[in-house]
């Protein structure tokens, strides 16, 4: 697989605080990457840079061999908050109100994929938290992005709903061959879903291990989770 996203010597500073420090990393087309770590480590900032919502203080981000300068139009972001418009039906939230038949037909296909076709004419207030996130996922896929950016999208869900959503995300990403980046605090979630798990600590990409997306035996899962957890929780000297 070719490299779709390249991060070259990325630094990001807010005032006197350096949030990201000399980040160098490549993501292959069709790869699922999980960035995991404690709050304030820099992982969400990294996602925002890849989305083109912010610019690095120094360094360059390359998308498909082109320097990113502005919004990344090949990517869509799914946030922890579904951010649905309450006055619009589910299908209108997915299509952003577009009434074109072909657009709405595709939206219905996506709602079928996320198992919500029967809720197409419902309003957000009639949906559960998990259902709202499924609508948000369908909306993110509506423009047929090459890159899906997931910013803690399952963090507010209860345990069983979160497990169902994990399986749904894994299924859709696999079927679509989407290049996917997940930001999460949940080490088990990161390991289960990803091809590679990247532990972000003190602004560095401090540890990169293989996830269990393609080899999810319990032994593999346990070993990888323990490795990542031990790295994140260690109180040793800051990574240089």
């Amino acid at each position: 697989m070719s490299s779709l996203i390249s991060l070259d010597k990325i630094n990001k500073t807010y005032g006197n605080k350096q949030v990201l420090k000399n980040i160098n990393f490549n993501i292959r087309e069709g790869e699922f990457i999980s960035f995991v770590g404690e709050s304030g480590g820099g992982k969400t900032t990294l996602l925002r840079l890849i989305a083109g919502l912010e610019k690095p203080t120094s360094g360059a981000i390359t998308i498909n061999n082109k320097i990113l300068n502005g919004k990344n139009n090949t990517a869509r972001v799914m946030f922890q908050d579904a951010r649905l418009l309450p006055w619009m039906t589910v299908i209108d939230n997915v299509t952003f109100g577009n009434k074109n038949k072909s657009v709405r037909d595709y939206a219905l296909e996506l709602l079928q994929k996320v198992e919500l076709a029967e809720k197409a004419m419902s309003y957000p207030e009639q949906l559960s938290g998990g259902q709202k996130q499924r609508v948000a996922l369908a909306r993110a896929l509506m423009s047929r992005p090459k890159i899906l950016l997931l910013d803690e999208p399952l963090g507010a869900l209860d345990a069983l709903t979160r497990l169902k959503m994990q399986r749904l995300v894994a299924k859709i990403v696999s079927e679509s061959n989407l290049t996917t980046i997940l930001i999460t605090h949940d080490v088990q979630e990161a390991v289960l879903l990803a091809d590679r798990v990247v532990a972000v600590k003190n602004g560095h990409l401090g540890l990169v291990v293989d996830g269990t997306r393609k080899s999810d035996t319990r032994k593999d899962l346990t070993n990888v989770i323990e490795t990542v957890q031990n790295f994140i929780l260690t109180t040793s000297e800051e990574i240089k």
Side-chain angles (χ1 to χ4, degrees):
M1 289 183 289
S2 60
S3 177
L4 179 64
I5 304 170
S6 293
L7 309 175
D8 183 23
K9 300 178 182 177
I10 297 297
N11 292 281
K12 181 64 178 178
T13 302
Y14 296 104
N16 295 323
K17 183 177 181 181
Q18 188 172 3
V19 179
L20 295 174
K21 305 170 185 177
N22 196 35
I23 301 296
N24 294 282
F25 194 69
N26 293 319
I27 299 172
R28 298 183 292 271
E29 186 173 357
E31 192 171 21
F32 196 130
I33 300 292
S34 291
F35 289 107
V36 63
E38 296 177 305
S39 298
K43 57 190 186 299
T44 293
T45 299
L46 190 58
L47 180 138
R48 291 181 63 82
L49 294 179
I50 295 171
L53 300 176
E54 297 186 35
K55 293 183 178 181
T57 304
S58 63
I61 298 174
T62 303
I63 308 294
N64 202 19
N65 297 318
K66 295 181 180 179
I67 299 294
L68 181 62
N69 186 16
K71 185 180 178 182
N72 184 351
N73 292 318
T74 68
R76 288 295 179 270
V77 184
M78 182 179 169
F79 298 96
Q80 186 176 68
D81 181 353
R83 304 186 180 189
L84 304 182
L85 300 176
W87 60 88
M88 283 188 173
T89 62
V90 163
I91 192 167
D92 283 334
N93 267 284
V94 174
T95 65
F96 298 98
N98 192 317
K99 302 299 182 182
N100 181 279
K101 185 179 185 304
S102 63
V103 172
R104 293 176 80 81
D105 284 347
Y106 182 57
L108 283 172
E109 286 181 31
L110 291 175
L111 287 173
Q112 185 71 42
K113 281 189 175 183
V114 301
E115 303 170 3
L116 273 184
E118 76 283 0
K119 297 288 186 180
M121 300 308 296
S122 299
Y123 287 88
E125 66 180 11
Q126 299 171 296
L127 305 179
S128 68
Q131 289 172 334
K132 289 177 182 177
Q133 286 302 81
R134 282 189 269 161
V135 176
L137 177 58
R139 182 180 59 192
L141 297 172
M142 189 65 202
S143 64
R144 295 179 171 87
K146 290 185 177 179
I147 302 168
L148 182 61
L149 304 174
L150 305 173
D151 188 8
E152 292 277 1
L154 314 183
L157 303 179
D158 65 79
L160 287 178
T161 302
R162 185 166 186 156
L163 180 59
K164 291 178 182 178
M165 278 295 295
Q166 287 172 355
R167 291 177 176 176
L168 180 63
V169 168
K171 181 174 181 287
I172 288 175
V173 166
S174 180
E175 290 175 348
S176 306
N177 196 37
L178 273 167
T179 304
T180 305
I181 298 173
L182 170 67
I183 303 299
T184 182
H185 292 90
D186 186 329
V187 175
Q188 180 168 320
E189 178 175 272
V191 172
L192 275 172
L193 293 177
D195 296 305
R196 286 189 291 165
V197 179
V198 184
V200 183
K201 184 173 180 180
N202 300 323
H204 296 271
L205 305 188
L207 177 72
V208 182
V209 297
D210 289 337
T212 62
R213 183 185 181 200
K214 295 183 175 68
S215 60
D216 57 350
T217 67
R218 183 164 298 277
K219 181 179 179 181
D220 288 339
L221 176 63
T222 301
N223 290 343
V224 179
I225 288 174
E226 287 181 354
T227 297
V228 177
Q229 285 178 334
N230 288 340
F231 175 82
I232 292 172
L233 296 175
T234 183
T235 57
S236 61
E237 183 181 359
E238 179 182 332
I239 308 159
K240 301 298 183 183

